[in-house]
Amino acid sequence: MLEKEIISWFKKNKRDLPWRKTDTWGVLVSEFMLQQTPVNRVLPVYIEWMKRWPTPALLAKATPAQVITAWGRLGYPRRALRLHECAKVITNEYKGVIPRDESELRKLPGIGEYTAAAMVAFAFSGRSLVLDINIRRLFARIIDGVESPKLSATKDEKSRYEELIPKKDPHLWAAATMELGALVCTSQSPKCGICPVAHECTWRSLDYPKSDLIKRTQSWHGTDRQCRGTVVQALRENDVLTKAQIALLWNVPSQLEKALLTLLDDGLIESRGKNKYSLPRN
């Protein structure tokens, strides 16, 4: 019953997103960008990215500096470098054709369990267990009667949710449950009044018990992440900066020093002579 109602809701309410009407490469780019980043922030960057690099071969020819710059303020710019590496492998080792098999997909740079499963479903319309946080939260409430799922999926959770995947159009089930979780069964203030399966929701029947899990809030201001992001953004806007110029960007010298070291280790910046830095050229 869940399947029919959720998929019917999805067909009427799904968002018109560009990666839902593109090729396999377009889906892969979207999956990299959507990791830990909301749709509204991804959309403008995605559209420009696909205009510039509509194939893995074209992205493979780009420099790391071009890739990091185009990534803009999506955050976690290592994803951009992994996508760049992925494009090179697809171009050079797979002749530009993205593999369809989940285990083969996981051999590509930057592709883990979730992204491989998402590619099988959304790029190839295949059967796979797609479990992002929206889907896990939806199932936790409907089936388990709890407000929030555990921080990571257990073997039992995966096994039970895999049994829900329909034989017909399994990719629609993945997309529909994700959309319902993202738009209706939201983390804060879920819209139970318009949920197509509210009458079957265990959490609702129990009068919405609060989760005993401590919710982690991601801080930003003053963090190492913000410091790193400030340096990378400055180097997007300037070809080369001296260490003295970079020192003006942040008022905690020890934190800035750490940021420079980790950015160098991650390949997100490179030294250009003594005490000078730029985005990576090759």
Side-chain angles (χ1 to χ4, degrees):
M1 195 65 176
L2 284 176
E3 174 196 343
K4 182 179 179 181
E5 291 168 326
I6 291 176
I7 290 179
S8 176
W9 172 89
F10 175 68
K11 289 179 177 178
K12 295 174 185 175
N13 296 279
K14 65 179 179 180
R15 289 170 289 183
D16 182 20
L17 301 173
W19 43 85
R20 287 183 171 158
K21 46 190 177 184
T22 184
D23 59 9
T24 55
W25 170 243
V27 175
L28 184 60
V29 171
S30 76
E31 288 300 332
F32 268 80
M33 290 186 173
L34 288 164
Q35 293 167 13
Q36 298 176 289
T37 308
V39 166
N40 63 324
R41 286 182 57 202
V42 166
L43 273 170
V45 178
Y46 175 87
I47 291 168
E48 289 305 311
W49 188 286
M50 292 303 296
K51 286 179 183 176
R52 188 171 183 179
W53 298 303
T55 66
L58 286 171
L59 181 61
K61 293 177 182 177
T63 66
Q66 289 172 326
V67 170
I68 293 169
T69 299
W71 194 257
R73 294 183 177 275
L74 284 184
Y76 302 100
R78 278 177 290 183
R79 292 180 293 165
L81 293 183
R82 299 294 87 78
L83 179 55
H84 189 212
E85 293 169 13
C86 195
K88 289 180 179 179
V89 173
I90 292 167
T91 301
N92 298 327
E93 298 182 24
Y94 291 88
K95 299 181 180 178
V97 179
I98 298 172
R100 303 173 67 98
D101 182 74
E102 204 163 334
S103 60
E104 198 70 18
L105 281 161
R106 292 192 65 173
K107 296 177 184 178
L108 297 174
I111 296 187
E113 181 180 8
Y114 168 76
T115 303
M119 284 297 295
V120 169
F122 304 139
F124 302 111
S125 300
R127 189 180 193 279
S128 62
L129 180 62
V130 182
L131 282 183
D132 83 332
I133 188 58
N134 293 306
I135 295 175
R136 293 185 62 227
R137 183 175 59 250
L138 178 73
F139 289 161
R141 291 174 177 175
I142 293 175
I143 298 167
D144 299 332
V146 296
E147 182 184 21
S148 303
K150 294 180 179 178
L151 295 179
S152 58
T154 63
K155 287 184 179 179
D156 175 66
E157 183 182 344
K158 291 178 182 179
S159 176
R160 289 187 293 115
Y161 294 167
E162 190 164 16
E163 292 177 2
L164 297 174
I165 303 173
K167 292 181 179 179
K168 181 182 178 182
D169 295 329
H171 63 291
L172 276 183
W173 173 250
T177 50
M178 185 179 294
E179 195 81 335
L180 187 60
L183 298 183
V184 175
C185 196
T186 54
S187 177
Q188 303 294 322
S189 305
K191 305 174 182 68
C192 302
I194 60 170
C195 178
V197 290
H199 59 290
E200 297 181 59
C201 179
T202 304
W203 185 54
R204 180 171 176 263
S205 73
L206 295 172
D207 197 24
Y208 312 106
K210 300 301 291 183
S211 175
D212 56 2
L213 288 175
I214 298 173
K215 293 183 179 178
R216 296 180 300 174
T217 55
Q218 265 191 330
S219 57
W220 168 252
H221 186 70
T223 61
D224 289 350
R225 276 190 60 218
Q226 186 187 20
C227 184
R228 282 165 53 98
T230 300
V231 174
V232 171
Q233 182 59 30
L235 289 173
R236 288 191 186 105
E237 299 167 357
N238 301 273
D239 289 338
V240 178
L241 288 175
T242 66
K243 194 167 186 178
Q245 289 171 317
I246 292 174
L248 299 174
L249 301 171
W250 200 257
N251 62 3
V252 184
S254 60
Q255 194 175 24
L256 184 61
E257 190 68 31
K258 177 183 175 184
L260 290 172
L261 290 173
T262 57
L263 287 168
L264 287 166
D265 285 344
D266 291 340
L268 289 167
I269 65 172
E270 66 181 19
S271 297
R272 294 285 293 274
K274 188 177 181 181
N275 292 327
K276 290 183 179 179
Y277 301 91
S278 73
L279 294 180
R281 293 162 292 179
N282 299 304

